[in-house]
């Protein structure tokens, strides 16, 4: 297990080298913590660290200042080696008592607390139920506490910037960033450039922010705060950028449009945490991307399906409650056998649940959430960057097999970021399609005459003379596609629809596992737990514990060798952020006993806890 | 001229929907599909199908550029009978599916066929949003004031007191007036006609086809099985004369035998029915379809709460307003012009990047 | 296997006794076949036969006269002993060539065909693609064919009734009924009474119908058609009536309202084959039954949920596509923990599918068709009469555990009819509820303070002073029900919601099986296949084959002893009208290998085929 | 008098919703719940909450007989802050849930709180159907012309060209005019007010509470985070004077400084803004809320397409029409009277029965 920054090393000496550090910035919604974290991340990425970030938004837009509900946080884990999880914070920057209260429990014992003392007044303390001041009552004794009057120092520092006092005060996040930049040897220039550009129209504000940033840095130096260094990580050669899951999804979808030579059409209705995909895609009109904010989720998928009928790459994005509403149209899409990508960015349920938190609890809904026998393929992304792959893969399957595909992501992946090795466009798969252009039975066109190999039906789009045809949700006669109430035909069509999806198992990557051949326990995951499970297994193996891990990226159908892989092990452990949904699928499909580890706390697994639970399960 | 997908557009960049003339060789028969028509004998749907098939060749749009979209209901079987592209969707969602088609493909002529249940009950929201957006759709609402396909429940246009399977003691609901609702939803083209109107119905269809944007036509359609005679006040021999108020642009609104009656606007802002002989023709309201203010069209729609007395037929409103798909297209075009066409490699490496070697 | 009427016995002698007969009436949509079947059934029921009926409606309202799409049929199986299935027709009454063509394939070889020769003209034959006249071309040689010019004989018979020729002609269904009444010794009087009442305002039509009925009977006698007798069955003593599944549902719901002392509130949107429940309930306003035809299925369940919040027995009825639309609100109901009954009358899917046909393919959708962890109980009726029980049982569970319940029925059960031993009202369970009336924590009312035993929360309804409270779909703090974003609370609430449903297994009847202890094969079913599986197993056992059968009436949770029962057998065979949905649940839950027999033809299993398939599986 | 469930009804058999006076001892504070209010500081929702809490004690309805129902959105958090019964539903479905409550329990006073997204986008259909049915609901639509809770996408009331997160190049959609839409949907009570209107807002709330049936109020509400200043044309010092057209029953419609401007109906059926000094007060339109014909109310709603120029505020329409729940109740009552109260044993053995012994 690699050591963490926090404990030890308090003396100002030469910058001490650390393999990895986890910092969490926390403050009021209005305190700009997301921006602060983002800047720190950006500089760290450019410096060459590997990193994983995790924002934590409040559910309220802007709850009352100083309240627990209003706390906004951003966590960054950066390192000199390849890392997989957001980690456990060793450093907490808390801009007010609420931020301290909401986050203290997560900080490592002995970690650093960097506190804005100006905000620890009676009113703010009472608001969150501190009966005495933690700065004074000894309750923080087991941490390294840095008490810094950030607000007042910021106000001092911005005098002369031309900004008003209120504006100036709002720069205190940059003061905090300055302090941290000193402590972790991050350059200020990129952020200064960024600020000057961002506030190019409001010079006084740019000045205030820059002044605060510099003041924070100077404070660190003057006060001789400990200073550390985290060297760049060794990553595969190439060009990198930072990317969040939702951004990677948007890019992956655009790539799918380019690689399929189909115009992209997104029908969507805003919902947390999926809205950003809509926002992102709406910007790329020069790629011929059409985005339509529909009146609701039903209309959104209906529009995407209409676009698919007319030859576009039809996409709809949503989260759980929206997926519920799309059920009926998904069934229609299955019946019409048109390509369609439905992206569900899972969040805490049931119902409105915990809308800003993560969960993996829509898997069985994606599998079975439609009336009738209505199978469809399911692909799951497993990290922010993997969303790019997942989007392309979903498009490939949808287009090749003429079927709607559900892509599952989750809130943690969506908002989290990591460095991304930018792919070479030339090496992206060619997923171009051929529209039907000719009659296929004498002079007639049969819209349900299937391809022998893929069982896909031909895609003839309006505008193609001679291929005029009608499709609909009533059962269709095999081949002609005319309405058919014939019992045997219905049985046949049901089988064909199922066989078509099942056969995709031949066309996807086999399931791989890593871990020694003699491991007797396999940890099987899917989706956003990829990083945590990987890190935990890595740690366990480093300690000589025989454990292997495999991660499913296709949930339906599963890779053909899945059963075979699972049967190699004595025990299959399935950790999920739900009550055991993959577990159910594995048991039903393979009749293999599984051990479930379930957690529905709206958060990723804690790696410490997962490690302990797994440890107990290894014989 | 083509759109970003290579579809043909006219010189105004607007698809070929409005192109007139052109493919003159097609006939009514070319629009008849090979599927057996399965409505009840005597159903008003037959006449509407015949009217649509008969005007299609005149529109100058090649068959392959035409799409019919529907939901579920007797009326919604319509697309199967048209030898064009077609989607028989799910209940109430036709306007959404059609919006997708029309905004993805401005080169297509997209028709929506819906019923009073499909379009106003389960699908009401999609309908009003399509009208508000002014999506380039021709929407035909077959209003038989009943649920036909599910065998006779009342619909949102059934009159209060109606006894049906689901209201054995009579409905207690106020019906929608589809014309008022469409106007309240910002519709740019709103008309009403009747299944049995051999001339007026095709004329309204032509007018809708010629309108760029959402064209909404309410068609009174007789369901002879579950709601026979619902429109007798307008179709009986007597009613036909007394109760049909034909709206004609730029003409004083007159009706009844020899136009003996007319409509007048009072200073207090009422519409009232008057005897022309008593007030003189100059007092009559002159119909103006193209008036942008929908107020008067709405007032006309209130003359009859349902088809039981004097009822206006014809085009209530026809105005020009930017079309949804056009707005979308022009944003695509100007983005491509301003930013250059999309370059994937450039996009992927946008923002802060760093190299590892 | 009991012998069937059809073959043998063609000679007019003394009425030959038969144990059971299956007749199918088939004609054009406008020919009144449903009424004919209904009358025949009614008379048979009153006579004391056991019986099972199955109507088969065309999907079109009234397709063109004489077309295949327009054929409407009604099948009745009546017997002198207890029977379970609609059986295979030994007698087909076909009013036109289309009816013959559409139904001939189902008739037993050697069975009787009673044909209306008047309609076998060139036009009608061509309409359905007969190139030669089957009355003449020998293609019906392996059946006993009765050629009767029913139309013309009817027209003759009604002269003098005062009815017009067209009206008179429409009485030909009564002529057919008369013929059959002669053949199976059914009295005419009840039908005459019925007709006179029905057409009391149109005397001429009443006269015409009665005349046609009598003429048909007289024809049978004069032409010396074979005549049979099916003695009454021995049923348990008591009062009986005939009941369809949908009617039994409506009665069961009213009984639940009476027994719970809660007013019934139905929010519904018409959809085949569920609409009749709405129609039926709309009639009982004197029971305080409120029915509201909503604008769509989402509104329908929303209204029912609102009614439940205010203290009514909230119900919504639908079929597959409607269930899709209710998903999101079901999740809300689970989160609000309010009682609600959602009835899904399954039909052929996916999408619009085969709307007038039966299927069992919504089971997994009912289990999992909502985002998030959203468990709820599922009850399934298994025969027309059992719908009464299923409605009461669903209400009992919903009210006791404060939860939405899904009741699954299907198109076959919904429209089928059987004799029903009318229950004694005094013996119906008391399912009355107690609304909260007092604060439960000091002076406060906590809406989520659960009952220790059932884990149900208290139900406080508007109008109760002092218990004002708010509920919503965001996660709630255990106890107080206030909005809570606390991670541990979410985990706890998720577990509680699950535990509450799971614990219902203690409170339902255990799974029973019948068959000898030494059987090594268990046939496990659920829902509308009850009769067919029962009959087939009975036949197999009668032939000495060791097979047991069990039928699940609760699908979630399953009875506590389910695993134990299944493990007694070497092989568990699961026949379903889907692609293996119960099978999946059994495998996932119990890790027991199952053998699936699947059929999605829009029809019940053919007992002959099921028997053959099962036979092969018995060692 | 009680309904079939034992709930108290007034002498007209209509629940106690309209009862006035009565429980005089309650104060504003009694309607404040113990939950912390979590809107952004400065949000217009605060003022609306305060106004509602302040008028509640006057209405004479005991707290336990009041239910607030909402969907999802910033505005939809409202019920949590009211110390009454409440349901925070799901997005767009509040009118449906509330219809269930109001028709099950005519003795309750049911309020719906919704936003422009919740009520007009996803929930548009339930809203128009509730209005059509005239369900006894008080519907408050907080129109901030933006999606607040999801952080700033355009809504169906956002103006064309609006740049938001989902429309970086500007929206191409025509917005709804909620007043026109409600009138097109047969609403019996339609009014408009503004969050900052300290007197007018409570007055409109009182009027809505007093209306039996669906009462719809559009409340312009400032979202200072994502759409600040959307109503400046009506709330700025100057705009306040120039642009607010207060509708008052039976009064000529005048506005601007000293009522110098007014509204007139032309013979051709237009409304126009005139200088009173030029045309004389007699020419002005006299407002008539209670006119059954909704034509004029609709015309008034068209005076402003959005809150950017002279905009009518106040009650556009208030008419009496049978209330949905009342119709339902009276059917229950007359069925019980005609057929006697339900007898389960009799029901179960209705139809043809036979005995086996
Ligand atoms: C989701 C869903 N709900 C309900 C139905 C059942 N259904 C089919 S058509 C219809 C109403 C048809 O009425 P209308 O739109 O007036 O058409 P018409 O048959 O009168 O032409 C209904 C309720 C369905 N198919 N899907
Ligand atoms: C089914 C569903 N779709 C989408 C959302 C996300 N969502 C929550 S509130 C909202 C819009 C809110 O806008 P508005 O109704 O105007 O309320 P405001 O926040 O402006 O008060 C959306 C899209 C959701 N919660 N549920
Ligand atoms: S039921 Fe009515 S609407 Fe439907 S096909 Fe028959 S006549 Fe036409
Ligand atoms: S986002 Fe806007 S509407 Fe929502 S609470 Fe904040 S200011 Fe109010
Ligand atoms: Mg209809
Ligand atoms: Mg809003």
């Amino acid at each position: 297990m690699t050591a963490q920054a926090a404990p030890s090393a308090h003396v100002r000496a030469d910058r001490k080298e650390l393999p990895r550090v986890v910092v969490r910035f926390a403050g009021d919604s209005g305190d700009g913590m997301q921006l602060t974290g983002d800047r720190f991340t950006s500089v760290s990425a450019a410096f060459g660290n590997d990193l994983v970030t995790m924002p934590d938004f409040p559910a309220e837009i802007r709850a009352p200042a100083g309240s627990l509900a209003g706390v906004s946080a951003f966590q960054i884990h950066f390192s000199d080696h390849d890392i997989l999880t957001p980690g456990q914070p060793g450093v907490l920057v808390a801009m007010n008592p609420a931020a301290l209260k909401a986050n203290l429990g997560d900080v490592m014992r002995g970690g650093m607390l960097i506190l804005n003392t100006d905000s620890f007044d009676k009113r703010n303390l009472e608001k969150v139920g501190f009966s005495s001041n933690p700065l004074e009552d000894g309750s923080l004794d087991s941490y390294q506490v840095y008490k810094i009057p950030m607000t007042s120092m910021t106000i001092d520092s911005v005098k002369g910037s031309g900004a008003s006092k209120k504006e100036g005060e709002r720069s205190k996040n940059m003061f905090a960033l300055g302090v941290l930049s000193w402590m972790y040897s991050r350059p200020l220039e990129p952020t200064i450039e960024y600020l000057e550009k961002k506030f190019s129209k409001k010079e006084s504000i740019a000045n205030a922010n820059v002044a605060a940033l510099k003041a924070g840095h100077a404070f660190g130096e003057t006060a001789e705060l400990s200073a550390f260094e985290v060297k760049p990580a060794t990553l595969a050669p190439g060009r990198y950028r930072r990317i969040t899951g939702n951004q990677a999804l948007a890019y992956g979808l655009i790539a799918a449009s380019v690689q399929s030579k189909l115009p992209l059409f997104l029908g969507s209705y805003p919902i947390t945490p999926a809205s950003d995909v809509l926002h992102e895609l709406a910007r790329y009109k020069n790629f011929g991307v059409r985005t339509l904010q529909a009146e609701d989720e039903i209309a959104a998928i209906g529009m995407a399906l209409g676009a698919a009928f007319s030859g576009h790459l039809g996409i709809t994005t949503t989260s759980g409650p929206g997926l519920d509403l799309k059920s009926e149209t998904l069934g229609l899409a299955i019946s019409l056998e048109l390509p369609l990508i439905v992206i569900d960015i899972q969040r805490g349920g049931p119902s409105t649940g915990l809308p800003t938190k993560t969960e993996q609890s829509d898997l069985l809904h994606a599998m079975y959430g439609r009336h009738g026998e209505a199978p469809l393929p399911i692909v799951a992304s497993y990290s922010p960057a993997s969303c790019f792959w997942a989007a392309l893969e979903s498009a490939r399957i949808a287009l090749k097999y003429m079927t709607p595909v559900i892509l599952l992501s989750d809130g943690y992946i969506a908002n989290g970021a990591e460095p991304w090795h930018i792919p070479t466009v030339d090496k992206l798969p060619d997923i171009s399609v051929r529209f039907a252009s000719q009659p296929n039975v004498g002079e007639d066109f049969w819209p349900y005459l299937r391809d022998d190999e893929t069982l896909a039906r031909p895609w003839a789009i309006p505008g193609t003379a001679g291929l005029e045809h009608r499709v609909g949700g009533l059962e269709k006669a095999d081949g002609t596609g005319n309405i058919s109430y014939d019992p045997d035909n219905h049985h046949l069509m049901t089988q064909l629809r199922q066989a078509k999806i099942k056969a995709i198992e031949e066309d996807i990557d086999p399931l791989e596992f890593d871990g020694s051949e003699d491991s007797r326990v396999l940890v099987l995951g899917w989706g956003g737990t990829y990083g945590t499970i990987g890190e935990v297994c890595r740690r366990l193996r480093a300690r000589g514990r025989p454990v292997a891990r495999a991660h499913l990226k296709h949930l339906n159908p599963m890779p053909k060798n899945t059963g075979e892989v699972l049967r190699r092990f004595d025990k299959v452990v399935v950790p999920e952020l739900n009550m055991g949904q993959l577990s159910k699928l594995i048991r039903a499909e393979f009749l293999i006993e599984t051990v479930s580890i379930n957690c529905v706390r709206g958060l990723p697994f804690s790696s410490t806890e997962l490690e302990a639970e797994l440890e107990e399960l290894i014989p | 001229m083509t759109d970003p997908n290579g579809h043909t557009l006219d010189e105004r960049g607007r698809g070929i929907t409005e192109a007139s003339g052109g493919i003159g060789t097609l006939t009514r028969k070319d629009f008849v599909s090979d599927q057996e028509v399965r409505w009840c004998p005597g159903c008003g749907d037959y006449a509407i199908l015949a009217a649509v098939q008969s005007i299609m060749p005149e529109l100058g749009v090649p068959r392959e550029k035409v799409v019919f979209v529907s939901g579920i209901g007797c009326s919604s079987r319509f697309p199967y009978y048209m030898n064009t592209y077609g989607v028989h969707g799910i209940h109430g969602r036709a306007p959404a599916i059609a919006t997708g088609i029309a905004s993805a493909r401005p080169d297509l002529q997209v028709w929506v066929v819906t019923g009073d249940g499909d379009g106003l009950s389960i699908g009401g929201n999609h309908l009003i949003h399509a009208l508000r957006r002014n999506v380039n759709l021709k929407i035909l609402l077959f209003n038989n004031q009943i649920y036909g396909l599910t065998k006779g429940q009342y619909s949102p246009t059934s009159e209060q007191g109606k006894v049906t399977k689901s209201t054995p003691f009579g409905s207690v609901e106020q019906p929608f007036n589809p014309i008022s609702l469409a106007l309240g939803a910002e519709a740019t083209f709103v008309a009403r006609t009747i299944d049995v109107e051999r001339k007026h119905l095709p004329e309204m269809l032509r007018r809708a086809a010629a309108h760029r944007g959402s064209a909404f036509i309410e068609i009174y359609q007789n369901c002879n099985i579950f709601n026979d005679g619902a429109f007798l006040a307008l179709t009986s021999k007597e009613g036909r004369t007394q109760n049909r108020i034909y709206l004609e642009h730029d003409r004083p609104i007159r009706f009844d035998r020899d136009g003996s009656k007319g409509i007048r606007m009072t200073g207090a802002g009422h519409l009232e029915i008057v005897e022309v002989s008593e007030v003189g023709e100059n007092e009559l309201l002159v119909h103006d379809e193209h008036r942008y203010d929908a107020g008067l069209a709405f007032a006309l729609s209130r003359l009859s709460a349902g088809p039981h007395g004097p009822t206006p037929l014809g085009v209530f409103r026809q105005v020009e307003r930017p079309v949804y798909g056009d707005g979308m297209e022009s944003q695509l075009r100007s983005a491509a012009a301003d930013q250059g066409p999309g370059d994937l490699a450039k996009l992927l490496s946008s923002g802060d990047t760093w190299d590892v070697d």
Side-chain angles (χ1 to χ4, degrees), chain A residues 330-589:
Chain A
L330 260 171
L332 177 63
I334 288 168
S335 181
L336 298 191
E337 303 194 36
L338 280 170
L340 188 70
I341 304 175
V342 179
I343 300 181
D344 172 24
I345 307 190
Q346 302 163 94
R347 62 188 217 183
S351 196
T352 312
L354 295 178
T356 57
K357 307 289 171 183
T358 198
E359 206 161 281
Q360 296 186 295
S361 50
D362 298 353
L363 174 58
L364 290 171
H365 181 31
M367 274 296 283
Y368 300 122
R370 295 158 293 281
H371 75 278
E373 290 291 345
L376 51 69
I378 303 173
V379 171
S381 64
Y382 50 93
S383 70
S386 75
C387 290
F388 184 82
W389 163 83
L392 258 173
E393 175 70 353
S394 300
R396 180 187 74 83
I397 294 176
L399 295 169
K400 180 164 174 186
Y401 296 93
M402 291 291 283
T403 177
V405 172
I406 292 183
L407 188 171
L408 292 175
S409 177
D410 67 42
Y412 164 65
I413 296 174
N415 293 321
E418 62 181 356
W420 179 44
H421 191 164
I422 301 168
T424 313
V425 170
D426 297 347
K427 298 206 175 121
L428 294 177
D430 175 3
I431 56 172
S432 57
V433 297
R434 240 187 304 170
F435 293 126
S437 59
Q438 303 280 340
N440 54 4
V441 178
E443 304 220 319
D444 293 339
F445 174 65
W446 286 16
Y448 280 78
L449 193 69
R450 296 171 190 279
D451 180 276
D452 286 341
E453 200 194 318
T454 60
L455 294 180
R457 73 176 191 87
W459 190 7
I461 66 168
T464 319
L467 306 196
E468 293 82 5
H469 66 281
R470 278 69 50 196
V471 293
L474 284 162
E475 187 57 285
K476 283 151 293 284
D478 183 32
T480 66
N482 292 333
I483 297 178
S484 164
Y485 301 122
D486 178 59
D488 292 327
N489 175 74
H490 179 49
H491 193 79
L492 175 67
M493 289 295 277
T494 304
Q495 284 175 322
L496 282 170
R497 283 186 289 259
Q498 198 175 55
K500 181 175 85 167
I501 304 306
K502 176 77 175 149
I504 298 172
E505 67 180 20
E506 307 278 352
D507 189 26
I508 57 178
D509 289 339
L511 181 63
E512 287 174 3
F513 66 95
D514 51 55
S516 56
E517 287 287 325
D518 61 349
S519 310
R520 289 171 54 202
V521 175
L522 177 77
V523 185
L524 179 70
W526 71 280
T529 54
Y530 176 79
T532 317
I533 295 177
E535 182 184 305
V536 167
C537 288
R538 199 190 270 174
R539 281 195 224 153
L540 286 167
R541 282 200 295 264
R543 296 192 357 251
R545 312 290 284 136
V547 62
R549 68 83 57 100
H551 210 74
L552 281 166
K553 296 160 191 175
H554 293 90
L555 278 304
N556 194 43
M558 295 184 196
K560 222 184 150 185
N561 67 334
T562 305
E564 188 194 308
V565 169
L566 304 186
R567 289 202 187 86
R568 295 172 83 116
F569 298 90
D570 293 346
K571 193 180 277 180
V572 176
V573 182
V574 188
E576 296 178 84
L577 301 177
N578 61 38
M579 299 300 274
Q581 303 198 4
L582 173 59
S583 216
K584 283 223 169 67
L585 292 180
I586 295 289
R587 293 163 65 98
E589 191 69 24

Side-chain angles (χ1 to χ4, degrees), chain A residues 57-65 67-69 127 269-272 275-276 278-280 282-286 291-298 325 351-352 355:
Chain A
F57 305 111
E60 260 64 51
I61 297 301
R62 202 156 294 177
S67 69
L68 282 175
K127 251 187 212 160
Y269 187 72
I271 187 167
T272 305
S275 312
D276 280 341
L278 164 63
H279 304 160
E280 188 71 19
R283 296 171 52 205
Y284 300 110
K285 302 229 184 289
N286 61 328
T291 56
L292 210 160
Q293 180 177 314
E295 57 272 26
D296 66 13
E297 284 87 349
I298 303 179
L325 292 169
S351 196
T352 312

